[in-house]
Amino acid sequence: MFELFVATRYLRAKRRQAVVGVITAISIAGVAAGVASLIIALAINNGFRQDLQSRLLGSRAHVELLRTAGDGMQQWQPLLQRLGNVPHVSADAPAIYEEVLISRGASERGGAEGSGAGLRTAG
């Protein structure tokens, strides 16, 4: 209550300074509009970040185990079974990562990295 009293005392213009009161009101409205737009922009940005993060993390595995040599894992079945029994692991799957050739007709060709996985729930 005291803060409101002090604010109105200093923001109210005297009779002969009516222009100052109008300028004060316009300034307060401008600051309020700026703060409101900043809050809205931050809320939109935060929502966009959460949506993007959930989409990116949902489309790829959180952990990928790869051999440093490019020949793949030979005995991956026991490892996959052991990792599937770890607490908080919801799914596990073997995957293939290879370079592929993509062509469309005779003239359009390009390379890409292809991946494929067969998903199953752990446990």
Side-chain angles (χ1 to χ4, degrees), residues 6 22 32 42 67:
V6 171
V22 172
L42 288 174
R67 271 180 55 94

Side-chain angles (χ1 to χ4, degrees), residues 60-117:
R60 297 276 308 197
H62 292 209
V63 176
E64 294 178 357
L65 298 177
L66 303 169
R67 271 180 55 94
T68 55
D71 59 348
M73 291 185 184
Q74 301 302 321
Q75 300 295 327
W76 57 268
Q77 292 93 344
L79 177 63
L80 189 66
Q81 201 168 30
R82 248 186 27 223
L83 291 174
N85 294 329
V86 173
H88 305 294
V89 172
S90 60
D92 55 14
I96 295 175
Y97 297 97
E98 289 292 331
E99 290 183 10
V100 296
L101 176 67
I102 299 174
S103 67
R104 181 178 172 201
S107 62
E108 297 181 39
R109 292 188 186 129
E113 183 175 312
S115 64

Side-chain angles (χ1 to χ4, degrees), residues 24-37:
T24 302
I26 292 172
S27 299
I28 290 174
V31 169
V35 169
S37 65

